[in-house]
Amino acid sequence: MHNPGNATPDRFPAQDRFADGAQYLAGRLTKGTSGRTHTVVDPATGADVLTYELAGPDDVDAAVAAARAAFPGWAGATPGERSDALHRFAAVLADRAEDFARAESLQCGKPLKLTREFDVPGTVDNAAFFAGAARHLQGQSAGEYSGDHTSYVRREPIGVVGSIAPWNYPLQMAAWKILPAIAAGNTIVLKPAEITPLTSLMFAQAATEAGIPDGVINIVSGTGREAGEHLVAHPDVAMTSFTGSTAVGKRVAEVATATVKRLHLELGGKAPFLVFDDADLDAAVHGAVAGALINTGQDCTAATRAYVQRPLYEAFVEKTAALMDTVRVGDPFAPGTDLGPLVSHVQRDRVAAFVDRARSYARVVCGGEAPEGDLKDGAYYRPTLVADAAQDSEVVQSEIFGPVLVVLPFDTDDEGIRLANDTPYGLAASAWSRDVYRANRATREIKAGCVWINDHIPIISEMPHGGYKASGFGKDMSAYSFEEYTQVKHVMFDNTAVAAKDWHRTVFGDR
C-alpha cells in the first residue's frame, strides 16, 4: 500500500486558484450568493481542499442572463469562426494538461495515470473533434420535392442550454456537455456536482483564454436541489442536458416538462459482460478487471455483471480474483497506484453496504472490505468479486457504482443474451467470442447504446455515447450529438410565381 500523505499544494492549490469564488459568470470567477458554503474534500486523505460559496437561484439567473446576452453574437458567428475558437481552446487545454490532471485527481481520487492518460487527453481530443465538426452542421440538400417548390433544411442553435454534470468524470462530462452545444452555436450554463467543481471551472477559464466570448460558457457550482432545479425550470433555458442516476433523471424530466424544454438524459447503467465458451479466457479476464475497476468502478459503462458460459465459469472466477488481488490500491498521486479511493466516504459506505448485504445470498470471492493502515482515512475499498448471486438479487440488478464485479454462469447462448438484457438499463455491454456470427448476434440482440466485442470501455470522439431503456436517450460526442443541440427548420420557396395556385381550390373556389 502507498501512504496518501496530505492535500499539500503540490497536489493542486485549489484554495489559491479559486480565492475569487467557484462560480464562473460572463467570463470571470465570482462568489455564490446562496449564503451557504461547501467544502471539497480530497477523498484520498479526508483533507479539505476548497471551501466556497454555493450558487443560489440569483446566481443561476445571472448565468442564464449572461448566456442569453451572448447568444446572438455566438449563434451569428460563422462556422469557421466558431471552429477557429474551438481549435484555440483545444490548444489551451493541451497546454494546461498537467494542471487539469492534478486537479481532477485531487477532487475525485483518480490515479494520476488515469487522469493523465484518459480523462485529460480524451477531453483535448473532444475539443479538437468539435472544432472540426463545427464546420459540418449541414441540413438536407436543396431539392424540388413537391415539383413547384424548392425545399432545404437549416440546422439552427436552440438557445441557452442548461446542463447538469455528474461527479465521476467532471472534466470529461463538462466537455461532453459544453463542446457540442457551443460548436452548434448555443450558449450554456453548466452545473457541475458541488463536490467536484474544480476542473469545470478551469475548463471555462481555458475557453475565455482561447478567445471564446464572455457568457458563452458559464458555470454555477451549487446543489442539485437549489441551483440544479432552478436551472432546469428556468424559462429562458431552452434545453436541459443531464447526466446522472436514473432516479434523479426522472426528477429532471418532471421539472423540464413544465416549460416544454428539449431534454437529453444520460442515466444509469449496469453493463453486462458476456463471455461465450469459445472466448479467449485470458483476454476476457483482463478485460473484466480493467472494465470493472476503471475509475474505481464509478463509471456508468463499467463492467458490472459478468455472465460466463459454464465451461469457463470456474476458471474465470479463479483467474479474475487472482488478477484483482494484484491491483495496487493507494494514493492517487503516488507512482504505481492502480486504484484510488471512491469519490467520498459516503459513496464508499454505500458500496460496502451492497457487498455486506450480498454476503447473505452470494459468495464474496475477493475484496469486500476497506483497507486499514496508511489508507484508513481515505474512501478506499478493495477490488471485489462476487459470485453465485441470483439474477434477481440486488447486487445484480442495482447500480453499485464501485469496484465490484458480479459473476454468474449461463448455459446456452439464448440464456446468456436473455440475462444480459434482464435489467432496466441499456447503456453499454460487451461480448467475448472468437466466432464472428456469435459476436454479431450479440451486437444485434443486446439492448444497449454501445456493444463492444472482445473489449470493454474504450470510447472515441467520433462515435456516439448514449443509452436505451432506463439509461436515457440522446447522444453525447460525435456528430450525432448535434441532433440534441440543434433545431431543424424546413425552408420552402415557391418556384411558380403563380398567384392563384391549384391547391387553393381545396379551400375556396373551383378549378
Side-chain angles (χ1 to χ4, degrees):
M1 297 297 178
H2 307 296
N3 185 346
N6 296 311
T8 52
D10 64 317
R11 291 166 88 84
F12 181 80
Q15 196 69 55
D16 293 338
R17 287 286 293 271
F18 300 107
D20 292 332
Q23 318 302 323
Y24 198 74
L25 310 181
R28 67 183 184 91
L29 288 171
T30 185
K31 297 182 187 297
T33 63
S34 70
R36 294 180 295 108
T37 61
H38 181 82
T39 298
V40 177
V41 174
D42 177 356
T45 65
D48 293 352
V49 168
L50 171 69
T51 299
Y52 69 92
E53 295 80 1
L54 285 162
D58 289 347
D59 303 300
V60 173
D61 290 344
V64 172
R68 188 178 181 189
F71 176 71
W74 184 248
T78 67
E81 288 168 339
R82 289 199 295 268
S83 176
D84 288 346
L86 286 166
H87 276 298
R88 295 194 302 270
F89 189 14
V92 173
L93 293 171
D95 188 55
R96 304 283 184 273
E98 181 65 12
D99 238 13
F100 276 102
R102 299 181 80 81
E104 194 80 334
S105 289
L106 179 61
Q107 68 180 351
C108 299
K110 300 169 185 271
L112 263 179
K113 68 176 181 179
L114 180 65
T115 57
R116 284 172 172 165
E117 298 177 33
F118 182 74
D119 297 72
V120 176
T123 301
V124 174
D125 186 69
N126 265 210
F129 171 81
F130 280 107
R135 303 186 81 130
H136 296 281
L137 269 170
Q138 298 171 344
Q140 189 173 354
S141 299
E144 286 68 51
Y145 299 99
S146 78
D148 291 339
H149 306 82
T150 296
S151 288
Y152 66 88
V153 170
R154 291 175 55 89
R155 282 195 176 275
E156 297 180 346
I158 295 170
V160 176
V161 177
S163 290
I164 300 175
W167 48 255
N168 59 331
Y169 287 102
L171 177 59
Q172 290 210 75
M173 293 298 100
W176 286 17
K177 300 296 185 195
I178 291 170
L179 291 169
I182 67 171
N186 302 285
T187 56
I188 190 166
V189 178
L190 174 78
K191 192 202 85 65
E194 66 271 22
I195 65 173
T196 55
L198 305 185
T199 47
S200 298
L201 293 163
M202 294 165 63
F203 192 80
Q205 288 177 304
T208 298
E209 186 176 341
I212 292 175
D214 293 349
V216 172
I217 300 172
N218 306 275
I219 309 293
V220 288
S221 304
T223 66
R225 188 170 298 277
E226 187 172 11
E229 289 212 7
H230 192 68
L231 179 61
V232 174
H234 202 291
D236 290 335
V237 170
M239 174 186 168
T240 291
S241 177
F242 170 80
T243 296
S245 71
T246 298
V248 178
K250 291 177 181 178
R251 175 60 182 164
V252 169
E254 180 184 346
V255 174
T257 299
T259 49
V260 199
K261 288 177 169 47
R262 174 79 65 89
L263 191 59
H264 169 217
L265 299 174
E266 197 262 276
L267 306 177
K270 190 72 178 173
F273 187 99
L274 188 60
V275 182
F276 293 105
D277 57 13
D278 68 328
D280 181 326
L281 179 60
D282 287 339
V285 167
H286 280 79
V289 173
L293 300 185
I294 187 170
N295 200 29
T296 318
Q298 299 165 123
D299 187 310
C300 49
T301 63
T304 59
R305 301 177 289 139
Y307 296 101
V308 183
Q309 208 150 23
R310 205 168 295 275
L312 297 183
Y313 179 72
E314 292 299 338
F316 180 91
V317 170
E318 180 182 349
K319 285 176 173 285
T320 300
L323 187 56
M324 278 189 170
D325 282 339
T326 70
V327 172
R328 297 163 295 182
V329 180
D331 175 15
F333 287 80
T337 290
D338 297 320
L339 195 77
L342 287 108
V343 75
S344 69
H345 288 80
V346 170
Q347 182 65 13
R348 190 272 310 276
D349 293 346
R350 179 181 179 275
V351 170
F354 269 102
V355 177
D356 289 344
R357 290 191 295 270
R359 296 181 197 278
S360 66
Y361 57 79
R363 175 167 54 109
V364 178
V365 182
C366 68
E369 62 183 5
E372 292 294 326
D374 290 345
L375 303 180
K376 64 181 177 59
D377 293 332
Y380 292 94
Y381 198 75
R382 293 189 187 281
T384 300
L385 185 67
V386 177
D388 306 334
Q391 174 66 14
D392 62 356
S393 62
E394 176 192 51
V395 77
V396 174
Q397 292 292 322
S398 298
E399 189 173 29
I400 298 172
F401 230 55
V404 180
L405 177 64
V406 184
V407 189
L408 297 85
F410 71 93
D411 291 303
T412 66
D413 289 15
D414 288 349
E415 181 190 14
I417 291 173
R418 178 181 62 78
L419 292 171
N421 285 328
D422 184 30
T423 72
Y425 302 106
L427 187 58
S430 65
W432 299 72
S433 173
R434 291 183 173 99
D435 185 325
V436 65
Y437 298 103
R438 218 174 196 180
N440 259 328
R441 180 190 177 191
T443 66
R444 292 192 307 272
E445 297 186 15
I446 292 176
K447 305 305 180 188
C450 176
V451 180
W452 293 284
I453 298 299
N454 296 327
D455 208 344
H456 194 106
I457 284 296
I459 54 175
I460 50 175
S461 297
E462 291 83 357
M463 288 290 112
H465 176 88
Y468 285 26
K469 304 190 294 183
S471 292
F473 48 81
K475 300 300 178 185
D476 290 311
M477 298 199 298
S478 83
Y480 288 97
S481 64
F482 288 140
E483 303 292 332
E484 317 304 321
Y485 294 101
T486 56
Q487 301 193 87
V488 173
K489 178 185 287 184
H490 171 214
V491 178
M492 197 173 199
F493 281 88
D494 170 58
N495 293 330
T496 66
V498 173
K501 295 180 170 54
D502 188 55
W503 74 267
H504 292 174
R505 68 187 171 83
T506 62
V507 182
F508 62 91
D510 299 316
R511 179 172 300 199

